[in-house]
């Protein structure tokens, strides 16, 4: 399955792109503690980031169906990264209310990479057995993100740890030569 065209690149790219999901909540808590705001606010902000990210995924999935993955991933990645960068810079001036607003907006703009990858598997791996193996590998390695992400955050200063997730672009944002792009998925309702 890993020898099939595009598979290793798609898995590696989405795992790198999803690394912020494992890093940002821990970085938010550590940054809040370093700013002297307390664990309660840090936990609240971290939970709000995860909750708003999860609640907005169906809407972004629907937008990908309508406008395509790149049209959703690129603005989401830019907005999410900008907001995560703005948090440590703006929050000391606006207090908890501004920090909460920024974190909620960052969660709402988290790129929907899981849905994007799963939508590509049928066109990249037409063989059902290989597709099941790819989904299992993707699900298993996604758990590593929640181990590696917090470890990366733990060894970095809180402000740097908060900025690092914004530097991991999703794979759909990275330009690639046309020979390495996976085939396009058929439009909804089109015969396969």
């Amino acid at each position: 399955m890993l020898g099939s065209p595009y598979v290793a690149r798609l898995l590696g790219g989405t795992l790198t792109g999803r690394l912020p999901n494992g890093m940002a909540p821990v970085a938010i808590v550590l940054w809040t503690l370093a700013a002297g705001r307390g664990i309660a606010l840090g936990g609240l902000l971290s939970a709000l980031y995860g909750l708003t990210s999860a609640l907005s995924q169906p809407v972004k999935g629907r937008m990908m169906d309508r406008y395509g993955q790149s049209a959703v991933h690129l603005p989401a990645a830019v907005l999410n990264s900008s907001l995560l960068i703005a948090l440590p810079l703006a929050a000391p001036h606006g207090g908890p209310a501004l920090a909460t607003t920024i974190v909620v907006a960052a969660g709402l703009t988290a790129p929907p990479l899981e849905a994007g990858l799963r939508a590509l598997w049928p066109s990249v791996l037409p063989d059902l057995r290989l597709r099941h193996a790819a989904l299992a590998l993707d699900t298993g390695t996604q758990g590593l993100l929640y181990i590696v992400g917090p470890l990366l955050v733990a060894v970095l200063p809180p402000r740097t740890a908060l900025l690092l997730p914004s530097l991991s672009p999703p794979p759909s944002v990275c330009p690639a030569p046309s020979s390495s792009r996976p085939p396009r998925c058929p439009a909804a309702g089109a015969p396969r």
Side-chain angles (χ1 to χ4, degrees), residues 101-127:
T101 303
I102 291 172
V103 165
V104 166
L108 288 172
T109 59
L113 297 176
E114 296 90 349
L117 178 63
R118 291 193 175 109
L120 289 175
W121 285 134
S123 62
V124 173
L125 292 170
D127 182 356

Side-chain angles (χ1 to χ4, degrees), residues 71-151:
V72 175
H73 283 172
L74 181 58
V78 169
L79 286 170
N80 182 265
S81 297
S82 300
L83 289 163
L84 288 173
I85 289 170
L87 182 61
L89 302 174
H93 306 292
L98 180 59
T100 302
T101 303
I102 291 172
V103 165
V104 166
L108 288 172
T109 59
L113 297 176
E114 296 90 349
L117 178 63
R118 291 193 175 109
L120 289 175
W121 285 134
S123 62
V124 173
L125 292 170
D127 182 356
L128 193 58
R129 286 181 337 122
L130 293 177
R131 194 175 326 144
H132 283 282
L135 287 168
L137 182 61
D138 176 41
T139 302
T141 54
Q142 186 174 355
L144 290 174
L145 298 177
Y146 295 98
I147 296 169
V148 173
L151 286 175

Side-chain angles (χ1 to χ4, degrees), residues 171-189:
S172 63
V173 175
C174 302
S178 60
S179 62
S180 67
R181 291 180 191 231
R184 299 192 78 133
C185 292

